[in-house]
Amino acid sequence: MIRTVLSLIPAEYARLTPRFLAAVVAQAICQAIAYVLLVPVLKSLFGDDQAAAWAWVAPMLVAVVGVLVLGYLQSLLGLRIGVGMQADLQTRLGDQLNTLPLGWFEGRSAAALSHVVVDDVREVQGLVAYLLAKVIAGVVVPLGVAVGMLFVDWRIAVTMFVAAPVLFAVNSIAGRLYSWSDRRIHDAAVESDTRVVEFAQAQPVLRAFGAVGARNRALDAALTGQRSAIVRMVFTAVPSLFVFTILVQAAFLVLAYVAVERVTHGPLSAAAAVALVAVGSRFIEPLTQAAQLGTTLRSGAAAVDRIAGLLAEPALPESTTPVNPGAATVGFDTVSFGYETGKPVLEDISFTVPAGTTTAIVGPSGSGKSTLLRLVARYHDVTRGRIEVGGADVREQPTVTLLGQLALVSQQVYLFNRSVIENIRVGRPDATDEEVRRAAAAARVDEIAERLPDGWDTVVGEGGASLSGGERQRISIARALLKDAPVVLLDEATSALDPHSEAVVVRGVHQLSRGKTVLVVAHRLATIAHADQILFLDGGRILERGTHDELLTAGGRYADFWNERSRAAGWRLEPAPVG
């Protein structure tokens, strides 16, 4: 664990690490020397030659001064390293998250990532600044005392050398039990954090269906699970800690017994025995302290493992060779992809979207339509084949170059807890206010701003909670309009909107798509019918392709799909007959 902690120290502070460790070890050695010198000092004070005690007091005072000076130095260095480490780790974790594939974030809890970046980093900072010195002292001081006792009484020294490994072994077993419990507590805490956030964000839905209080089963189960994990840790870790404490006290009793036995059956005086008992207590003290710090230390070790695990996640391979994209085309060449090995989602997909044209992708749910769009934006790398944007393989383009060509409008719109105008400006941060408002007007966001209490400066809430689905979608389209990218990836999301919102969003989509290369997962019949090319996808394969008229004439799967949609579009509720 210590090796892993040291590997996380930033290079800027790594030069301080040898001095820090040297100060910690030197302080522990000074402590051990001061404890061992208690024997001749106490022996002289309780014996007949009290004046001889002063000969031992001087080196003992030097050792005590060394403990104080080195303690101050190691505390100062530990704090500097810990604080610098906290800032650096959070920056490194942020940079690491920026290099991971976008698909890595799908299905991962934001609460879990927040826990690692905030809570775990803070815990590791405390581990370095405060606990690491005590851990090292807990090993060096007892070892130093045992070595020093070889020059006083070898039997006492042997007792110490036998006791220390036994105690460390028991402590190690307790550590493994605690680590197992801590992982369960961490998982339970993440689950409960996630449910609490959901509980806060989804109040309208929860209240509408009466899922509040005890009836919110998911939240109640998560909180119950967290309590159960803590209780299990108590019943797992506390007994081992209790056993360790008993063994520590037993070791002290054995040391006291050996000292007394040397008085009654050996050459040691009663004064020497008292001195040895006092030194024995100093030998035991760091071990007891290690047991008391064990819970915090093992929790810190688990935090270190989670941070190291996140930093070790394989980054998306990034091309460093500049690429100048050509015409805004999109091409798939025998592409296959699966989220899991042996379970393909797409197989042998090949098609081209010429610049300035629209290709609609239709098919049943689960056929791989949205996955196809995500692969263009390189959420994941393909298993086989290649995808080209602007005439170049997406894997050979720097991320900035690739994403600079794409505007993605998805079903899941996320708005930041900022103002309306700031949320639109995300599309192009260097845009002027006039450019932002022009894009907003094209998406009819100006109508939204007029209704809001603070207009364009109204904060929309976390995830855009204060806006309707249609209003959030309009802001998303305004972002894409502001970016003005040549290729538009559109996962059309109008099916859940009311007729007015749908009409407004559709007009914004038409404005966004004008003159652009569009790849759209289509649901609306009008979007499908006016596409330059239609791909019917099912089971991860393209079963049919062509224009709307060509596919209707063929009378295949697409024709069936179109007829079903047409019938559904004309479906309406009729009043029940009376009488």
Side-chain angles (χ1 to χ4, degrees):
M1 186 270 291
I2 294 179
R3 183 181 303 171
T4 306
V5 171
L6 296 179
S7 71
L8 295 177
I9 296 176
E12 179 183 357
Y13 294 92
R15 60 185 179 80
L16 300 177
T17 304
R19 280 191 279 169
F20 169 67
L21 294 177
V24 170
V25 173
Q27 187 204 25
I29 292 174
C30 285
Q31 279 184 282
I33 292 173
Y35 293 158
V36 171
L37 289 177
L38 275 174
V39 175
V41 169
L42 294 176
K43 183 178 178 181
S44 301
L45 287 175
F46 288 106
D48 298 330
D49 189 7
Q50 295 183 356
W54 292 107
W56 297 105
V57 168
M60 184 177 178
L61 288 176
V62 171
V64 170
V65 170
V67 170
L68 296 176
V69 173
L70 291 168
Y72 173 78
L73 179 61
Q74 63 93 357
S75 296
L76 186 65
L77 291 172
L79 189 60
R80 285 182 62 189
I81 293 172
V83 172
M85 185 180 185
Q86 179 178 2
D88 179 81
L89 271 180
Q90 290 179 328
T91 301
R92 285 175 61 190
L93 288 169
D95 293 341
Q96 168 73 348
L97 292 174
N98 282 332
T99 67
L100 295 176
L102 292 174
W104 183 88
F105 296 90
E106 295 177 339
R108 293 184 184 269
S109 167
L113 292 177
S114 174
H115 191 86
V116 173
V117 175
V118 179
D119 298 335
D120 285 349
V121 169
R122 188 184 299 119
E123 193 158 1
V124 170
Q125 185 263 343
L127 184 65
V128 173
Y130 307 109
L131 294 182
L132 193 57
K134 295 179 180 179
V135 172
I136 295 174
V139 175
V140 175
V141 171
L143 180 61
V145 170
V147 171
M149 291 307 296
L150 287 172
F151 299 95
V152 178
D153 189 286
W154 68 268
R155 293 169 180 80
I156 299 290
V158 168
T159 304
M160 291 180 175
F161 279 121
V162 171
V166 172
L167 293 175
F168 280 123
V170 173
N171 198 34
S172 176
I173 294 172
R176 283 194 291 271
L177 291 173
Y178 179 86
S179 297
W180 175 79
S181 298
D182 183 72
R183 283 193 296 271
R184 296 177 67 95
I185 290 177
H186 171 76
D187 294 341
V190 167
E191 175 67 14
S192 64
D193 288 349
T194 301
R195 297 304 177 188
V196 168
V197 171
E198 286 180 350
F199 181 76
Q201 290 180 335
Q203 276 296 304
V205 175
L206 294 173
R207 294 189 186 189
F209 290 94
V212 294
R215 297 189 64 187
N216 189 336
R217 295 181 180 177
L219 176 59
D220 185 61
L223 294 176
T224 301
Q226 188 176 22
R227 288 194 297 270
S228 299
I230 294 173
V231 170
R232 280 194 295 270
M233 185 204 71
V234 169
F235 282 103
T236 300
V238 169
S240 58
L241 181 61
F242 180 69
V243 169
F244 180 81
T245 303
I246 290 178
L247 288 177
V248 167
Q249 297 305 316
F252 176 70
L253 291 175
V254 170
L255 287 173
Y257 171 79
V258 173
V260 172
E261 193 275 338
R262 294 293 293 148
V263 172
T264 55
H265 298 93
L268 288 183
S269 65
V274 171
L276 288 174
V277 171
V279 173
S281 68
R282 298 299 89 192
F283 169 81
I284 293 298
E285 181 184 26
L287 298 174
T288 305
Q289 189 178 57
Q292 294 171 344
L293 294 173
T295 298
T296 306
L297 177 63
R298 288 159 194 139
S299 178
V304 168
D305 290 340
R306 286 190 289 269
I307 291 172
L310 180 53
L311 290 174
E313 287 287 344
L316 187 71
E318 177 74 11
S319 173
T320 57
T321 304
V323 173
N324 294 317
T329 60
V330 177
F332 277 62
D333 182 10
T334 59
V335 168
S336 294
F337 171 76
Y339 294 101
E340 299 178 31
T341 304
K343 296 181 178 179
V345 176
L346 299 173
E347 292 188 85
D348 295 324
I349 301 294
S350 296
F351 66 91
T352 300
V353 184
T357 67
T358 296
T359 293
I361 306 169
V362 299
S365 297
S367 58
K369 304 187 296 296
S370 295
T371 297
L372 191 146
L373 286 189
R374 292 190 182 100
L375 290 178
V376 177
R378 208 183 172 200
Y379 274 52
H380 306 272
D381 277 338
V382 299
T383 307
R384 184 167 55 84
R386 60 189 274 128
I387 299 174
E388 293 184 351
V389 173
D393 192 318
V394 296
R395 293 168 295 191
E396 298 171 0
Q397 302 185 44
T399 300
V400 173
T401 303
L402 172 63
L403 297 182
Q405 303 171 75
L406 306 176
L408 177 62
V409 179
S410 68
Q411 298 179 25
Q412 303 298 326
V413 179
Y414 187 85
L415 300 186
F416 299 94
N417 190 22
R418 302 176 191 168
S419 67
V420 173
I421 197 165
E422 287 177 311
N423 269 287
I424 297 174
R425 198 189 299 277
V426 169
R428 183 154 55 89
D430 60 349
T432 65
D433 285 351
E434 178 59 30
E435 289 172 323
V436 173
R437 296 197 183 208
R438 191 161 52 242
R444 307 292 291 274
V445 180
D446 50 349
E447 296 179 355
I448 303 172
E450 290 173 1
R451 296 195 300 269
L452 296 174
D454 296 320
W456 296 98
D457 295 323
T458 301
V459 176
V460 300
E462 187 175 358
S466 64
L467 304 178
S468 69
E471 289 170 337
R472 290 195 294 270
Q473 194 63 266
R474 283 196 239 177
I475 292 177
S476 174
I477 292 169
R479 279 179 183 170
L481 284 165
L482 182 63
K483 185 175 183 181
D484 195 27
V487 178
V488 175
L489 305 177
L490 182 61
D491 198 347
E492 199 171 77
T494 59
S495 58
L497 303 180
D498 62 83
H500 173 70
S501 295
E502 181 180 6
V504 173
V505 169
V506 168
R507 282 197 295 270
V509 169
H510 288 165
Q511 178 76 11
L512 172 64
S513 306
R514 190 172 298 149
K516 304 295 176 61
T517 303
V518 181
L519 187 58
V520 53
V521 173
H523 304 287
R524 297 183 66 255
L525 298 181
T527 302
I528 300 171
H530 290 93
D532 299 290
Q533 176 183 215
I534 300 169
L535 307 176
F536 187 87
L537 199 66
D538 193 11
R541 295 178 179 274
I542 298 176
L543 301 186
E544 298 176 2
R545 71 180 73 202
T547 65
H548 172 67
D549 292 337
E550 290 171 345
L551 293 176
L552 280 185
T553 302
R557 293 285 301 278
Y558 174 79
D560 294 339
F561 173 84
W562 176 265
N563 292 331
E564 287 180 10
R565 287 277 173 163
S566 299
R567 286 194 295 270
W571 181 86
R572 68 179 187 273
L573 286 173
E574 295 286 355
V578 179

